[in-house]
């Protein structure tokens, strides 16, 4: 599986036509990725693309046309998908403003309540019965411990599992709001299907317990996102087939649950279709280290700074022997580094391609910092 959505000739052509730095997205790769995942999953698993990964309008339109639902986390995201997929939208997020909750109600969006305050405010806004999902912060089994989800410690997300005996009876007494689903998001960039399934099993067990102990009727169990992608050639891709088979087994084991499971992958569906292109502005040696200074850096690809993980990179149309090179961006800070990697001897004007850059790229960047030009996003249909 290539980490780059385009071959070198195409990338050189796109860079020449649209200028650099730029993000380029392949519709073909995005389409194939969604279709492959859909085919691997049981019918009773709904796919809701997490818009935050990449909200490019053409990508959203493509996924909507292929039948996807959408996971949104802001008014802006809700508005982006409102006309594309009416009735197929979820609204999550730990800090929903009251105006956003009102918009979600108006649009018939299924809200993932993050706590008692969301339930209470929704109830005050609603004029008719409204079904919501309740996000739970589990006490154990979270398959991610550091940066994105935050492990099992204190969390801004969801209702702590141990607080449910207090929150659920209060929720049951509300006039309009009905808890009809659970939402647990407990993994991030996980490529091991077995680990994802272990978390999903924990969520279904929790659902069974809450059904038995609190008389909940669960129409939906939302398992969140977190399906991982490789960022390096030696990383194995997630086995979507194994994930699908495992979810099928879980549905059979949990026959008490006749509703639908929801998966909200963002990265898995968007990352592979994107490449970030930037040219080398200058090179330098400094005290034994080789630097290439590029047109763009963490202002466009913030992820290496946030997570310490680099994007895969190659020098387009260049091969030959390689040497360790530190890739610096144009910002006036030593934080602006896209990684230290083995690359051929670079020259000013050389084109670098960063693969797997379709998710958490353009809109996660700091495109206004230092007033550099905002890179175009090119959709290759
Ligand atoms: C509620 C929710 N769902 C889905 C996702 C998508 O996660 P990923 O891109 O890891 O699949 C996120 C990411 O933050 C999220 O907050």
């Amino acid at each position: 599986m290539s980490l780059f959505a385009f071959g070198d000739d195409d990338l050189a052509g796109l860079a020449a036509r649209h200028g650099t730095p730029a993000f380029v997205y392949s519709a073909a790769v995005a389409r194939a990725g969604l279709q492959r995942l859909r085919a691997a999953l049981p019918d009773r698993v709904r796919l809701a693309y997490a818009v935050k990964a990449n909200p490019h309008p053409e990508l959203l339109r493509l996924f909507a046309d292929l039948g996807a639902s959408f996971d949104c986390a802001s008014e802006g995201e809700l508005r982006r998908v409102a006309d594309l997929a009416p009735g197929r939208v979820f609204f999550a997020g730990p800090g929903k403003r009251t105006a956003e909750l009102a918009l979600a109600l108006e649009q018939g969006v299924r809200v993932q309540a993050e706590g008692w305050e969301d339930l209470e405010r929704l109830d005050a806004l609603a004029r008719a019965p409204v079904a919501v999902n309740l996000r739970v912060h589990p006490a154990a089994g979270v398959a991610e411990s550091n940066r994105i989800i935050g492990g099992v410690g204190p969390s801004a997300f969801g209702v702590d599992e141990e607080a449910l005996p207090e929150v659920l009876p209060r929720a049951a007494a509300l006039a309009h709001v009905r808890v009809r689903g659970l939402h647990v998001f407990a993994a991030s960039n996980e490529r091991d299907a077995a680990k994802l399934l272990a978390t999903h099993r924990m969520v279904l067990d929790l659902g069974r317990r809450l059904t038995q102990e609190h008389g909940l009727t669960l129409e939906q169990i939302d398992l969140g996102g977190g399906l991982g992608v490789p960022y390096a050639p030696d990383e194995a891709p997630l086995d979507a087939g194994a994930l699908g088979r495992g979810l099928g087994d879980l549905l059979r084991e949990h026959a008490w649950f006749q509703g639908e499971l929801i998966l909200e992958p963002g990265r898995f569906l968007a990352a592979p279709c994107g490449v970030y292109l930037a040219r080398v502005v200058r090179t330098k040696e400094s005290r034994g280290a080789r630097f290439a200074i590029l047109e763009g850096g963490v202002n466009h690809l913030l992820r290496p700074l946030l997570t310490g993980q680099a994007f895969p990179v190659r020098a387009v149309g260049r091969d030959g022997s390689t040497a360790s090179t530190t890739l610096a961006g144009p910002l006036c800070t030593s934080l602006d580094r896209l990684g230290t990697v083995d690359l051929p001897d670079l020259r000013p004007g050389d084109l670098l391609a960063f693969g797997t850059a379709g998710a958490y790229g353009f809109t996660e960047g700091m495109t206004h910092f230092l007033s550099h030009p905002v890179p175009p996003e090119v959709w290759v249909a």
Side-chain angles (χ1 to χ4, degrees):
M1 184 182 141
S2 171
L3 301 178
F4 296 84
F6 301 91
D8 274 9
D9 288 351
D10 286 338
L11 289 173
L14 286 162
R17 209 166 319 130
H18 299 282
T20 54
F23 284 87
V24 293
Y25 305 128
S26 161
V29 170
R31 182 184 298 110
L34 185 113
Q35 287 173 331
R36 247 194 329 267
L37 181 59
R38 178 64 272 168
L41 297 173
D43 289 346
R44 236 178 348 125
V45 179
R46 193 203 297 216
L47 269 185
Y49 169 62
V51 174
K52 62 177 73 67
N54 186 336
H56 191 280
E58 295 294 343
L59 185 65
L60 299 181
R61 184 181 310 282
L62 173 73
F63 286 167
D65 288 349
L66 292 170
S69 295
F70 292 96
D71 158 58
C72 295
S74 71
E75 174 178 348
E77 292 188 354
L78 287 174
R79 293 198 185 281
R80 276 178 190 247
V81 299
D83 295 333
L84 290 177
R88 304 192 333 243
V89 181
F90 298 86
F91 183 31
K96 302 182 196 73
R97 289 175 291 121
T98 301
E100 292 179 304
L101 290 173
L103 179 68
L105 276 182
E106 192 188 306
Q107 293 182 337
V109 161
R110 181 79 163 225
V111 173
Q112 321 271 22
E114 296 266 354
W116 171 249
E117 302 74 18
D118 278 2
L119 295 171
E120 204 178 25
R121 285 185 298 152
L122 267 176
D123 200 60
L125 291 165
R127 294 285 161 265
V130 55
V132 304
N133 299 341
L134 186 63
R135 182 161 177 180
V136 176
H137 177 49
V142 176
E144 197 258 12
S145 56
N146 48 15
R147 305 221 181 211
I148 314 282
I149 313 289
V152 291
S155 176
F157 302 119
V159 177
D160 290 344
E161 186 180 335
E162 56 278 20
L164 289 171
E166 191 246 325
V167 170
L168 287 175
R170 285 167 80 196
L174 289 169
H176 303 299
V177 163
R178 303 279 171 265
V179 174
R180 290 285 180 265
L182 286 186
H183 181 237
V184 178
F185 180 19
S188 180
N189 196 25
E190 180 56 68
R191 289 176 291 108
D192 183 340
K195 282 196 185 152
L196 285 168
L197 287 163
T199 309
H200 298 160
R201 174 181 300 282
M202 176 270 291
V203 179
L204 277 150
D205 288 344
L206 174 67
R208 174 163 48 203
R209 240 177 15 255
L210 295 177
T211 304
Q212 288 167 350
E213 292 170 14
H214 296 277
L216 275 187
T217 305
L218 294 178
E219 298 165 350
Q220 298 184 338
I221 296 186
D222 190 325
L223 303 167
L227 282 63
V229 298
Y231 283 96
D234 59 348
E235 291 178 347
L238 170 68
D239 183 345
L243 180 66
R245 286 190 296 280
L247 287 172
D249 292 343
L250 277 179
L251 281 169
R252 277 184 290 280
E253 279 169 42
H254 286 266
W256 62 272
F257 176 65
Q258 287 302 311
E260 60 178 347
L261 294 177
I262 295 153
L263 281 183
E264 299 171 346
R267 186 190 313 274
F268 188 82
L269 293 177
C273 80
V275 174
Y276 172 69
L277 293 169
R279 291 192 190 276
V280 176
V281 177
R282 53 187 278 260
T283 57
K284 76 171 275 194
E285 296 274 336
S286 173
R287 298 190 176 144
R290 202 157 83 128
F291 281 84
I293 297 147
L294 313 182
E295 298 169 311
V298 296
N299 50 338
H300 301 158
L301 291 181
L302 188 55
R303 199 183 113 80
L305 183 56
L306 292 180
T307 65
Q309 271 182 304
F311 286 85
V313 60
R314 72 172 195 239
V316 174
R318 296 285 315 276
D319 31 44
S321 64
T322 60
S324 172
T325 309
T326 295
L327 301 175
L331 306 182
C332 304
T333 164
S334 292
L335 295 172
D336 192 8
R337 299 283 182 273
L338 291 179
T340 296
V341 285
D342 287 341
L343 284 170
D345 189 22
L346 294 174
R347 295 181 292 258
D350 277 349
L351 181 65
L352 295 191
F354 295 79
T356 323
Y360 305 116
F362 179 78
T363 58
E364 196 180 276
M366 306 182 290
T367 43
H368 297 294
F369 194 36
L370 265 86
S371 301
H372 283 286
V374 174
E377 291 181 283
V378 181
W379 179 255
V380 182

Tab-separated table of all heavy atoms in Angstrom, residues 258-277:
chain	number	residue	atom	x	y	z
A	258	GLN	N	-30.167	-4.815	19.311
A	258	GLN	CA	-30.676	-4.949	17.948
A	258	GLN	C	-30.594	-3.630	17.177
A	258	GLN	O	-31.155	-3.506	16.102
A	258	GLN	CB	-32.129	-5.460	17.981
A	258	GLN	CG	-32.239	-6.933	18.371
A	258	GLN	CD	-31.453	-7.841	17.428
A	258	GLN	OE1	-31.568	-7.744	16.204
A	258	GLN	NE2	-30.617	-8.728	17.980
A	259	GLY	N	-29.903	-2.674	17.758
A	259	GLY	CA	-29.774	-1.372	17.094
A	259	GLY	C	-28.594	-1.352	16.136
A	259	GLY	O	-28.108	-2.394	15.699
A	260	GLU	N	-28.122	-0.145	15.829
A	260	GLU	CA	-26.985	-0.048	14.910
A	260	GLU	C	-25.735	0.434	15.639
A	260	GLU	O	-25.809	1.228	16.576
A	260	GLU	CB	-27.291	0.837	13.694
A	260	GLU	CG	-27.647	2.241	13.997
A	260	GLU	CD	-27.898	3.074	12.734
A	260	GLU	OE1	-27.577	2.641	11.609
A	260	GLU	OE2	-28.403	4.192	12.903
A	261	LEU	N	-24.618	-0.117	15.177
A	261	LEU	CA	-23.316	0.369	15.626
A	261	LEU	C	-22.896	1.498	14.694
A	261	LEU	O	-23.215	1.473	13.503
A	261	LEU	CB	-22.273	-0.745	15.572
A	261	LEU	CG	-22.463	-1.935	16.520
A	261	LEU	CD1	-21.363	-2.970	16.271
A	261	LEU	CD2	-22.433	-1.466	17.976
A	262	ILE	N	-22.177	2.436	15.252
A	262	ILE	CA	-21.684	3.536	14.419
A	262	ILE	C	-20.175	3.639	14.577
A	262	ILE	O	-19.649	3.553	15.692
A	262	ILE	CB	-22.363	4.858	14.834
A	262	ILE	CG1	-23.844	4.726	14.518
A	262	ILE	CG2	-21.778	6.043	14.086
A	262	ILE	CD1	-24.723	5.524	15.329
A	263	LEU	N	-19.506	3.759	13.458
A	263	LEU	CA	-18.059	4.048	13.466
A	263	LEU	C	-17.875	5.435	12.875
A	263	LEU	O	-18.525	5.774	11.885
A	263	LEU	CB	-17.288	3.046	12.609
A	263	LEU	CG	-16.975	1.668	13.175
A	263	LEU	CD1	-16.146	0.890	12.144
A	263	LEU	CD2	-16.220	1.747	14.496
A	264	GLU	N	-16.978	6.199	13.467
A	264	GLU	CA	-16.751	7.583	13.020
A	264	GLU	C	-15.304	7.788	12.591
A	264	GLU	O	-14.589	8.593	13.183
A	264	GLU	CB	-17.020	8.558	14.169
A	264	GLU	CG	-18.399	8.561	14.720
A	264	GLU	CD	-18.488	9.404	15.989
A	264	GLU	OE1	-17.442	9.762	16.576
A	264	GLU	OE2	-19.599	9.699	16.385
A	265	PRO	N	-14.845	7.082	11.590
A	265	PRO	CA	-13.444	7.287	11.205
A	265	PRO	C	-13.268	8.611	10.491
A	265	PRO	O	-14.082	8.983	9.639
A	265	PRO	CB	-13.162	6.128	10.236
A	265	PRO	CG	-14.476	5.572	9.850
A	265	PRO	CD	-15.550	6.156	10.717
A	266	GLY	N	-12.229	9.310	10.849
A	266	GLY	CA	-11.849	10.517	10.141
A	266	GLY	C	-10.560	10.251	9.381
A	266	GLY	O	-10.518	10.169	8.159
A	267	ARG	N	-9.502	10.033	10.158
A	267	ARG	CA	-8.175	9.827	9.593
A	267	ARG	C	-8.152	8.706	8.549
A	267	ARG	O	-7.589	8.852	7.466
A	267	ARG	CB	-7.217	9.464	10.724
A	267	ARG	CG	-5.750	9.353	10.346
A	267	ARG	CD	-4.953	8.752	11.496
A	267	ARG	NE	-5.262	9.350	12.774
A	267	ARG	CZ	-4.684	10.453	13.253
A	267	ARG	NH1	-3.748	11.045	12.564
A	267	ARG	NH2	-5.031	10.931	14.426
A	268	PHE	N	-8.791	7.567	8.900
A	268	PHE	CA	-8.714	6.382	8.039
A	268	PHE	C	-9.276	6.673	6.644
A	268	PHE	O	-8.770	6.170	5.647
A	268	PHE	CB	-9.495	5.233	8.693
A	268	PHE	CG	-9.341	3.916	8.001
A	268	PHE	CD1	-8.231	3.119	8.240
A	268	PHE	CD2	-10.301	3.468	7.103
A	268	PHE	CE1	-8.072	1.903	7.584
A	268	PHE	CE2	-10.154	2.251	6.454
A	268	PHE	CZ	-9.042	1.466	6.700
A	269	LEU	N	-10.332	7.509	6.588
A	269	LEU	CA	-10.972	7.780	5.300
A	269	LEU	C	-10.323	8.931	4.550
A	269	LEU	O	-10.392	8.989	3.323
A	269	LEU	CB	-12.463	8.070	5.509
A	269	LEU	CG	-13.281	6.874	6.008
A	269	LEU	CD1	-14.726	7.271	6.249
A	269	LEU	CD2	-13.217	5.714	5.006
A	270	ALA	N	-9.714	9.870	5.276
A	270	ALA	CA	-9.207	11.075	4.599
A	270	ALA	C	-7.698	11.070	4.389
A	270	ALA	O	-7.206	11.583	3.378
A	270	ALA	CB	-9.599	12.314	5.400
A	271	ALA	N	-6.950	10.503	5.320
A	271	ALA	CA	-5.486	10.652	5.253
A	271	ALA	C	-4.893	10.132	3.930
A	271	ALA	O	-4.092	10.827	3.299
A	271	ALA	CB	-4.828	9.954	6.444
A	272	PRO	N	-5.272	8.918	3.484
A	272	PRO	CA	-4.559	8.357	2.331
A	272	PRO	C	-4.727	9.157	1.046
A	272	PRO	O	-3.900	9.040	0.143
A	272	PRO	CB	-5.189	6.959	2.178
A	272	PRO	CG	-5.767	6.635	3.518
A	272	PRO	CD	-6.219	7.953	4.070
A	273	CYS	N	-5.779	9.983	0.935
A	273	CYS	CA	-6.029	10.648	-0.360
A	273	CYS	C	-5.193	11.904	-0.534
A	273	CYS	O	-5.171	12.481	-1.616
A	273	CYS	CB	-7.513	10.963	-0.520
A	273	CYS	SG	-8.076	12.434	0.360
A	274	GLY	N	-4.479	12.359	0.496
A	274	GLY	CA	-3.850	13.669	0.414
A	274	GLY	C	-2.335	13.654	0.387
A	274	GLY	O	-1.691	12.802	1.017
A	275	VAL	N	-1.788	14.594	-0.358
A	275	VAL	CA	-0.334	14.822	-0.371
A	275	VAL	C	-0.111	16.323	-0.205
A	275	VAL	O	-0.814	17.137	-0.803
A	275	VAL	CB	0.294	14.348	-1.705
A	275	VAL	CG1	1.773	14.728	-1.775
A	275	VAL	CG2	0.125	12.844	-1.883
A	276	TYR	N	0.857	16.666	0.630
A	276	TYR	CA	1.251	18.068	0.780
A	276	TYR	C	2.540	18.270	-0.001
A	276	TYR	O	3.483	17.470	0.117
A	276	TYR	CB	1.472	18.388	2.265
A	276	TYR	CG	2.072	19.754	2.524
A	276	TYR	CD1	1.340	20.913	2.292
A	276	TYR	CD2	3.377	19.885	3.004
A	276	TYR	CE1	1.891	22.171	2.529
A	276	TYR	CE2	3.930	21.129	3.244
A	276	TYR	CZ	3.179	22.271	3.002
A	276	TYR	OH	3.730	23.509	3.228
A	277	LEU	N	2.564	19.290	-0.832
A	277	LEU	CA	3.721	19.567	-1.688
A	277	LEU	C	4.390	20.867	-1.257
A	277	LEU	O	3.719	21.883	-1.067
A	277	LEU	CB	3.258	19.731	-3.142
A	277	LEU	CG	2.705	18.483	-3.826
A	277	LEU	CD1	2.046	18.854	-5.159
A	277	LEU	CD2	3.817	17.455	-4.040
